[in-house]
Amino acid sequence: MPSDTETFPRPPLDAAALNAALVRPGRMWRGVDVVPAVGSTNSELVARSATGAPHGSVLVTEHQTAGRGRLGRVFTTPDRAALTFSVLLRPRVPTNALGWIPVIMGVAAVTAVRRVSGVAAVLKWPNDLLVPAAERAGEAENDGKLAGILSEADFSAPDALGVVVGIGLNVSQDRSELPVDTAVSLRGEGATSLDRGDLLTALLEEFEELYTPWSAAGGDAGACGLAAAYRELCVTIGRRVRVHLPGDGLLEGVAAGVDGDARLLVDGPEGRTALSAGDVVHVRPGG
């Protein structure tokens, strides 16, 4: 008898339909390239950036064989079970504003997931999509991780900085196909739709709606409303946290907010500390 994994439908993405829906004159997206398999969409798009690929390029893969997360973690996903893609941007904003780019991806992803699938996703600082324990499909003590986001810069052309931001969203995996116990999929959380084409279209539409005013505001996340939108969705803010730092350092306190450079503000025993994503190893719930 075939297994559930073998019988569960996982249709391929329709590249022509995606381009027809997203690539229009005067809009942000220049082209959506769907490839059968690639090691890492981020690595491939960084390489394309170095050879002059334009702002608004999108690379999607049906099967990522060597995806990379924060701190060099490597992972794989089953063929057509996840939504895995990266986008190339050439922002013209101050360097200290670039930390908002993965935030834009996070806010766009949460909004798209809620809109298309009905799953109550939220954000954990700096770059994870979660389903809170209280919103899980069935009894659960812990939050479940739906997706991770990773951004990388290409400095090969100093006058045309490239920033690649990618996401791997678990869509139709069953429990046995997820890499760790803390990972969840939209399917496992009772999604009303698992259409990856609809998810990708909605996510890129939401990204453009956020990125365009942020770019026009010179990267000022407060002025364009991005900071407020992020704070509304980020469940880390207001919680007690244990921040694991490089070299076995540890900071405990309350996550008081996120500043104008997308840094996490932690009120600890020695006062307030501002932490960028590159400053931390893990942020865990505190006691």
Side-chain angles (χ1 to χ4, degrees):
M1 178 179 294
S3 70
D4 181 50
T5 300
E6 291 171 331
T7 59
F8 191 83
R10 288 174 174 161
L13 291 165
D14 186 334
L18 289 167
N19 278 281
L22 292 162
V23 181
R24 299 169 187 162
R27 301 296 293 272
M28 179 172 177
W29 304 115
R30 298 289 296 275
V32 181
D33 185 12
V34 180
V35 298
V38 72
S40 160
T41 56
N42 261 31
S43 294
E44 173 62 24
L45 204 48
V46 167
R48 294 186 187 187
S49 172
T51 59
H55 172 85
S57 299
V58 183
L59 177 64
V60 194
T61 189
E62 299 283 22
H63 182 44
Q64 183 163 254
T65 59
R68 292 180 295 112
R70 292 186 67 244
L71 308 175
R73 300 184 186 95
V74 178
F75 57 91
T76 62
T77 54
D79 197 13
R80 300 191 303 275
L83 179 60
T84 308
F85 72 94
S86 300
V87 301
L88 170 60
L89 311 165
R90 297 205 181 274
R92 296 187 179 276
V93 299
T95 302
N96 65 326
L98 296 177
W100 285 103
I101 290 178
V103 170
I104 293 172
M105 180 67 86
V107 174
V110 165
T111 306
V113 163
R114 291 180 176 186
R115 182 173 123 196
V116 174
S117 76
V119 172
V122 295
L123 288 169
K124 171 193 168 187
W125 187 93
N127 62 355
D128 289 343
L129 265 71
L130 305 180
V131 182
E135 302 290 344
R136 297 277 304 276
E139 294 184 8
E141 294 183 1
N142 300 311
D143 300 339
K145 182 176 175 179
L146 271 176
I149 295 167
L150 180 69
S151 62
E152 301 177 66
D154 167 36
F155 295 102
S156 60
D159 59 340
L161 170 69
V163 176
V164 171
V165 56
I167 182 171
L169 172 65
N170 298 326
V171 178
S172 67
Q173 293 100 316
D174 65 24
R175 182 72 262 166
S176 68
E177 295 174 305
L178 293 166
V180 293
D181 290 343
T182 53
V184 296
S185 70
L186 294 178
R187 175 185 173 192
E189 295 305 314
T192 56
S193 172
L194 297 174
D195 190 308
R196 292 181 305 137
D198 288 349
L199 282 165
L200 179 58
T201 299
L203 204 161
L204 291 175
E205 287 174 345
E206 296 289 347
F207 191 102
E208 182 174 2
E209 287 294 315
L210 294 165
Y211 183 90
T212 301
W214 173 80
S215 179
D220 188 332
C224 68
L226 173 62
Y230 176 71
R231 292 173 184 132
E232 188 81 16
L233 298 174
C234 181
V235 295
T236 307
I237 297 172
R239 288 184 171 181
R240 289 199 61 82
V241 293
R242 293 167 56 89
V243 182
H244 296 260
L245 305 169
D248 296 324
L250 182 67
L251 173 63
E252 297 185 90
V254 174
V258 174
D259 71 9
D261 296 332
R263 298 179 301 177
L264 184 67
L265 303 176
V266 178
D267 288 343
E270 299 181 4
R272 177 163 292 184
T273 302
L275 299 164
S276 68
D279 294 331
V280 306
V281 178
H282 297 295
V283 178
R284 307 291 195 203

